[in-house]
Amino acid sequence: MTQPKHTHPLGYLQQTAKQLKEYWFLILLALWQWGNLSAFWRLIMVLALVTWLLVWPLLQWLTLTYLIEPTAVVVNSGIFIRHHQHIPYSRIQTVQRKQWFYLRPFHLEALQIETAGHQDDEPEVRLPAVPTTVADTLNAYRFDLPLTTDSVPATAQAAPETATPGLPDIRQRYVTDSHSMVLFALTGTGIIPLALVLLTLYGKLPHQWTDSLISDAAHWAVPLIIGGVILVLLVAWLGAFAWILIRYYHFTLTRTSSQLQVAKGLFQRNTITAPLARVQAVRCKQTILRQWLHLQTVQVLLASKAATDDDNDDLVILPAIVQSHLYTTLNPFIDWTPPMGPTPDPAHRAPSGALAAQPQCRPSRNLTRSGRGVALATLGLAQCAIDSPCHLAGAIRRP
C-alpha cells in the first residue's frame, strides 16, 4: 500500500450502529418531550439527532484513513483536530481481528492495534471494516514474511472461517473439545450478574407496586411462587450457558516461535495475537463448580486491553482444561511454565487397598524452577497433586 485508504463503506454503518448504541437514550428523551415542544423546536431536535447520530459518524468515516508501510502503521483521523499516528511494528503489543458474520462474505473484518503505552481502554488504532489482507500484510511486515500480490488470495477464499490467519511457523495448536466446553458453560457464573440486575430493578420499582405485589402474592400457593423463581433462574442459567458457548465457539490456541494467537466466537470471530515476550504472568483459576469437575481456566496477563471481554481483562488461553493435563498442555505454549505439576508427598499417600482414600494436600508454598526462576504463587490456597480434587488456583509469574 502506497496511498492512504479509507475503510470499507460498511465501516460507516458500524460507526452509526456504535453511535446509536451509546446515545439511544436521546431518542427516548426526544419522544418523551415531543408533545411539549412547538413545531420549531421539534425541527431543531430532529436536525440535532440526525446530525449527531448519522452525519457525525459519516464525517468520522470520511476523515479516517490508514496506511500499512514496511516499517509502521500510519493512521490519520479527526474532524476538527487532526491526529496522525505512526506506530512501529516493534511497539505493537496486540493485534485483534474481529469478524462479524455479515462481514465474512465481503472478506472484511475490524482491526484493533494496541501498544503498551495506551492511556485508556481504547486501542491506539481501530479500523472498523478493512479487508482481511490488511492484517495479513501487517503480520507479513512484522514477521518478515513474503507478501501476496492478490487483494483476496484464493487460499483465503477457500480456507474455513475457523482457520488461523496470517501466522508463520506454527509450532503448537490446541482446540478445546466440545465436552469440556459444555462443562465450562454449565459451570459458568453468568447467572450471578443477572440476578443482581433483577434485584436492582426490583429496588427501583415504586413502593406502591411492590406493596401491591406482596399483598397479591400472599394469596398464591407457595409451590407456585417457588416454581416461578425456579423457572426464572432456569431461563437465566440457560441464557448464560448459550452465551458462553457462542463466545467460546471453536476456541483455538496457536503458538509460533514468538507469538500466541487465540481465536474464538460463533457470530463474531475474535482473533487476538500477542507476543510471547509481552506475557507478564499466567493465572490458573477455578470456580467452586469447576473444582468438583476438576476443570481449570488459564489466563495470561498482558499490558493491553485486548481481552476486555474476558474475566478480569486477562486473556483466556485455555478456557476448560482437565487438571491432570494442565501443565503438560500449557508448557508447549509458554515454555517458562513448569512442565509438570507438583507431586503429592509420599508420606501422605494412601495405603495399598484403601477404598475411599483421597489425595492429601501439602501446605501452601512457592515453587521455583531451578535455573529459570519461575515462581508459582498459590494465593494462600492448598497445594497438592495436579490430578487431585483440591488443586490450587494461583499465578505463575514470568522470570
Side-chain angles (χ1 to χ4, degrees):
M1 299 181 183
T2 58
Q3 296 295 328
K5 291 188 176 182
H6 291 281
T7 61
H8 193 274
L10 284 176
Y12 164 64
L13 297 181
Q14 289 190 320
Q15 292 276 16
T16 304
K18 180 182 177 182
Q19 198 81 343
L20 291 173
K21 179 182 178 181
E22 294 179 354
Y23 298 100
W24 57 269
F25 62 90
L26 295 178
I27 300 177
L28 295 181
L29 181 62
L31 294 176
W32 181 47
Q33 295 292 334
W34 187 262
N36 301 327
L37 300 176
S38 62
F40 173 77
W41 286 109
R42 289 180 181 179
L43 178 61
I44 295 297
M45 181 178 292
V46 170
L47 291 176
L49 288 176
V50 170
T51 301
W52 184 244
L53 299 178
L54 298 178
V55 178
W56 187 260
L58 177 62
L59 295 177
Q60 289 180 318
W61 177 76
L62 289 174
T63 56
L64 175 64
T65 60
Y66 66 94
L67 177 62
I68 307 298
E69 294 183 336
T71 58
V73 179
V74 180
V75 178
N76 303 303
S77 62
I79 299 175
F80 299 111
I81 301 176
R82 294 293 293 170
H83 299 275
H84 175 81
Q85 293 176 288
H86 187 95
I87 303 177
Y89 296 124
S90 59
R91 301 298 182 184
I92 293 178
Q93 177 81 6
T94 57
V95 176
Q96 189 170 9
R97 308 169 70 167
K98 294 184 177 182
Q99 188 179 51
W100 280 100
F101 62 92
Y102 56 82
L103 295 178
R104 291 172 190 165
F106 303 98
H107 300 283
L108 300 173
E109 63 186 1
L111 185 64
Q112 297 181 10
I113 301 174
E114 288 189 6
T115 68
H118 67 284
Q119 300 296 325
D120 50 24
D121 293 339
E122 293 294 324
E124 282 84 355
V125 175
R126 184 191 296 272
L127 302 176
V130 295
T132 55
T133 52
V134 171
D136 294 336
T137 303
L138 186 151
N139 286 331
Y141 284 134
R142 292 178 67 194
F143 305 130
D144 295 327
L145 298 176
L147 295 175
T148 57
T149 56
D150 298 332
S151 59
V152 181
T155 54
Q157 297 180 15
E161 63 188 36
T162 56
T164 302
L167 274 186
D169 186 25
I170 295 178
R171 296 188 176 183
Q172 295 289 337
R173 177 171 292 169
Y174 175 83
V175 180
T176 303
D177 62 274
S178 57
H179 179 262
S180 297
M181 283 307 304
V182 169
L183 293 179
F184 178 70
L186 289 174
T187 55
T189 56
I191 190 175
I192 297 177
L194 179 59
L196 295 177
V197 169
L198 293 177
L199 290 175
T200 302
L201 293 177
Y202 178 80
K204 297 296 183 180
L205 293 176
H207 294 291
Q208 296 84 354
W209 294 7
T210 56
D211 294 341
S212 176
L213 181 63
I214 294 174
S215 177
D216 295 338
H219 303 286
W220 296 347
V222 174
L224 182 61
I225 299 176
I226 297 176
V229 172
I230 294 176
L231 179 62
V232 171
L233 293 177
L234 180 62
V235 171
W237 176 71
L238 290 176
F241 171 79
W243 174 247
I244 293 177
L245 286 184
I246 291 173
R247 284 182 57 193
Y248 290 91
Y249 173 78
H250 204 279
F251 187 97
T252 305
L253 173 65
T254 307
R255 181 205 164 153
T256 67
S257 57
S258 61
Q259 302 284 322
L260 275 182
Q261 184 182 87
V262 170
K264 60 182 179 180
L266 177 59
F267 299 113
Q268 183 192 57
R269 195 67 182 166
N270 189 3
T271 304
I272 302 174
T273 305
L276 279 168
R278 306 295 176 87
V279 175
Q280 306 299 316
V282 177
R283 175 183 290 130
C284 305
K285 61 189 303 183
Q286 289 176 303
T287 62
I288 295 179
L289 294 177
R290 289 169 189 159
Q291 290 180 25
W292 296 341
L293 297 175
H294 310 300
L295 290 178
Q296 288 271 12
T297 298
V298 182
Q299 297 173 283
V300 293
L301 282 67
L302 302 171
S304 71
K305 295 295 184 181
T308 52
D309 293 336
D310 293 333
D311 189 15
N312 296 330
D313 293 344
D314 297 329
L315 181 63
V316 173
I317 60 172
L318 295 174
I321 184 71
V322 179
Q323 290 177 177
S324 59
H325 301 157
L326 173 60
Y327 289 104
T328 56
T329 303
L330 180 61
N331 179 259
F333 291 94
I334 303 179
D335 52 14
W336 46 264
T337 56
M340 62 175 56
T343 57
D345 193 341
H348 294 102
R349 289 189 176 181
S352 176
L355 297 179
Q358 295 292 336
Q360 300 295 322
C361 296
R362 293 175 295 172
S364 175
R365 62 184 179 89
N366 290 334
L367 294 181
T368 302
R369 291 180 58 194
S370 59
R372 295 300 300 274
V374 180
L376 180 61
T378 61
L379 303 183
L381 299 178
Q383 181 176 307
C384 59
I386 194 169
D387 57 349
S388 66
C390 49
H391 181 61
L392 60 90
I396 305 172
R397 294 292 174 184
R398 182 179 176 83

